[in-house]
Amino acid sequence: MMPINRRDFLKTCCVSATALGASSRAMAYFSPPLLPAAATGDTLVIVFLRGAMDGLSLLPPGAGSPYRADYETNRVETRVPISGAGAALALNGTQWALHPRAGGLRTLFNAGHAAFVVAAGQVMPNPVVRSHFEAQSNFEFGVGGSSGGSIGWLTRHLVSGGLPANVPLPAVSMGSITAKSLLGSSDAITMNSGSDFRLDTFHWSWQNDDAAHALVGGVSRMNALWNGANATMLERAGMETLGSLALLRPINFGLYNASSNPDGYQPAGGANYALQYNGSFGTQLRNVAQLIKRNVGLRAVTIDLGNWDTHVGQGNPTQSYDWFGNQVSSLSDGLSAFYTDLSAGATNYMNNVSVIVVSEFGRRVLENSDGGTDHGYGNVITVLGGAVNGGTVYGSYPGLANGQLYENVDVDVTTDYRRVISEALIRRMGNPNIYYAFPGFAGYTPMGIFQGADLPPANFDSIFRNGFDGS
């Protein structure tokens, strides 16, 4: 057996532990250094509503809509009314309305900064996948309604998108585990919140360099161990991980308080991330806004907002306790604060930020006997950003009558979610390699949701068409 000395053992153990703590960012040197496209400096934020959000309650047919009568026939306990108490918010110029708790989204829509895509989702083979786990996996691996995959579509985008070599922090997955859309990434870190992303428990002297007393902190020792002209891939990966940690360590992610935290983050434009429900969602959005303003090179972000599986007691706006309304409030107020914060001031960061809100599938048109809705098919995608052609509801709606429903029970899917995201990748991110990001997707045409230049859709490099990206 080959002997191993203490120095080599320490290097190996430390880099392995650090790599795990910093997610896949430590795999950077195992990916091919290819730059096939000219990436823009934009940031794409994917908000995943896990549990299958009921699009017919977020965006119900409005007054005068040809779908309203069928909607009311199928919805009683979960109905969003168009008049009286709890009335939906009309979207001017459209036949649609918004849940009354979505005032922030309506303001963005009326200002031309937000849009909706109806009858959108995964185009699935028959039978439709109605498992949350499988549908979410397929969605995030980018394979539509097919099964399989081990590399996320956002990872494929980052690999093929032509990122400059010196981008400090290209991708962040906000949460306790890495989103599947970023699995296999050599560029992503995972964190519940900015203040949680620390590796400062190694020893009391982790950051303490004291030359006067000949003390060297743990970070400096690890840098010295891994640095050098003949550093191995593992050692260079360790240096990359330490770089990510060093980048975030000095940032005060706490909220500004004049007396207790004067160096904390102060949102601009009066933005308020203190959500009444789902407070962690507001904190994560605030952390992302702070990172964008710090110009760390953030290109891709994933954020989850869960608890949309409303089989029982979904609620409606006329009730004193409206579960679905509370969820909508978190979504709308959080995104409104995010937009307000980043758009305030001369810089207007939202001109280079696009947010796409998705869910694995929709809910059944006919409510169930428990005052809820069961797993469905077609749904609503929400889009917002400074470069969004907002104030419009996109997509072809098939209708809600029995003969118009998929299998006579669900809103059908007429817009593949990959079409919406592909337009963002091309027009906003400058990456034409959408057929690599989404294997099996074909026939892309833009819908006009995003502003930007069109590029011929491509499939990256034939060597990597099987999904292997070297990681």
Side-chain angles (χ1 to χ4, degrees):
M1 178 181 294
M2 181 178 294
I4 181 170
N5 61 35
R6 180 179 179 275
R7 173 186 171 89
D8 289 337
F9 176 78
L10 178 60
K11 289 192 294 183
T12 303
C13 290
C14 288
V15 72
S16 297
T18 307
L20 289 172
S23 187
S24 58
R25 182 75 172 138
M27 296 163 57
Y29 289 94
F30 295 93
S31 292
L34 302 176
L35 301 176
T40 68
D42 275 30
T43 303
L44 179 62
V45 180
I46 302 296
V47 177
F48 205 118
L49 308 182
R50 297 193 185 273
M53 184 271 298
D54 180 24
L56 279 173
S57 289
L58 176 67
L59 191 76
S65 167
Y67 317 120
R68 185 70 198 185
D70 290 318
Y71 168 81
E72 293 192 357
T73 297
N74 287 281
R75 297 292 181 98
V76 178
E77 293 299 319
T78 61
R79 181 187 301 169
V80 179
I82 52 175
S83 62
L89 306 172
L91 295 181
N92 296 335
T94 78
Q95 57 192 8
W96 299 94
L98 269 174
H99 193 284
R101 302 282 290 278
L105 285 176
R106 187 202 196 194
T107 298
L108 291 173
F109 181 91
N110 288 341
H113 302 316
F116 302 97
V117 185
V118 293
Q122 301 187 65
V123 177
M124 298 184 186
N126 195 356
V128 165
V129 173
R130 301 190 190 278
S131 158
H132 292 294
F133 179 80
E134 186 175 354
Q136 289 176 16
S137 293
N138 293 343
F139 203 109
E140 294 185 277
F141 289 136
V143 293
S146 304
S147 59
S150 59
I151 296 175
W153 72 262
L154 262 174
T155 296
R156 295 178 186 275
H157 157 60
L158 292 170
V159 168
S160 64
L163 285 177
N166 61 347
V167 176
L169 186 60
V172 169
S173 181
M174 301 299 295
S176 57
I177 61 174
T178 304
K180 288 186 175 69
S181 56
L182 281 168
L183 283 184
S185 175
S186 60
D187 297 305
I189 64 171
T190 301
M191 57 185 179
N192 256 324
S193 69
S195 58
D196 290 342
F197 195 78
R198 294 287 187 272
L199 192 60
D200 296 340
T201 57
F202 175 75
H203 190 269
W204 69 269
S205 63
W206 176 251
Q207 298 183 73
N208 295 337
D209 288 332
D210 187 347
H213 297 88
L215 294 177
V216 180
V219 171
S220 296
R221 289 187 182 278
M222 294 176 77
N223 275 303
L225 283 174
W226 293 333
N227 205 0
N230 298 318
T232 66
M233 286 191 299
L234 195 60
E235 290 169 334
R236 292 198 300 270
M239 290 297 295
E240 190 79 4
T241 301
L242 286 179
S244 294
L245 290 165
L247 182 70
L248 297 180
R249 189 177 295 112
I251 301 177
N252 185 337
F253 284 101
L255 193 60
Y256 168 82
N257 184 287
S259 57
S260 62
N261 194 21
D263 296 324
Y265 179 66
Q266 190 168 12
N272 182 9
Y273 291 98
L275 306 182
Q276 184 177 0
Y277 310 97
N278 299 295
S280 60
F281 180 63
T283 300
Q284 290 175 343
L285 286 169
R286 190 187 78 218
N287 291 168
V288 171
Q290 189 173 1
L291 287 173
I292 290 172
K293 290 183 181 182
R294 298 280 296 211
N295 294 317
V296 296
L298 201 56
R299 300 297 203 275
V301 179
T302 64
I303 305 178
D304 289 350
L305 180 58
N307 296 320
W308 296 92
D309 197 14
T310 50
H311 289 282
V312 179
Q314 179 172 316
N316 70 65
T318 68
Q319 297 172 335
S320 58
Y321 182 78
D322 177 12
W323 172 268
F324 186 85
N326 294 343
Q327 291 286 106
V328 170
S329 175
S330 297
L331 176 66
S332 178
D333 293 351
L335 292 178
S336 178
F338 185 73
Y339 196 101
T340 298
D341 185 7
L342 286 176
S343 63
T347 302
N348 193 353
Y349 293 94
M350 280 306 302
N351 285 335
N352 299 103
V353 176
S354 299
V355 181
I356 302 179
V357 185
V358 298
S359 196
E360 64 263 36
F361 44 67
R363 314 296 296 189
R364 190 147 291 183
V365 175
L366 177 64
E367 66 186 15
N368 61 36
S369 59
D370 292 318
T373 51
D374 297 323
H375 298 178
Y377 189 24
N379 209 342
V380 173
I381 290 177
T382 303
V383 182
L384 57 133
V388 165
N389 295 315
T392 301
V393 177
Y394 293 87
S396 173
Y397 204 71
L400 297 176
N402 285 343
Q404 299 169 323
L405 300 177
Y406 179 82
E407 296 183 340
N408 291 320
V409 291
D410 296 326
V411 175
D412 206 350
V413 173
T414 60
T415 297
D416 193 316
Y417 79 101
R418 294 173 295 183
R419 183 182 179 190
V420 177
I421 296 175
S422 291
E423 186 174 321
L425 296 185
I426 290 176
R427 290 189 171 185
R428 300 310 312 159
M429 310 305 290
N431 184 7
N433 298 303
I434 58 172
Y435 297 144
Y436 173 72
F438 297 113
F441 181 50
Y444 163 78
T445 56
M447 300 180 71
I449 301 172
F450 297 93
Q451 302 166 17
D454 285 317
L455 303 169
N459 200 21
F460 190 32
D461 189 301
S462 60
I463 297 175
F464 303 102
R465 287 179 186 174
N466 66 351
F468 174 73
D469 71 350
S471 56

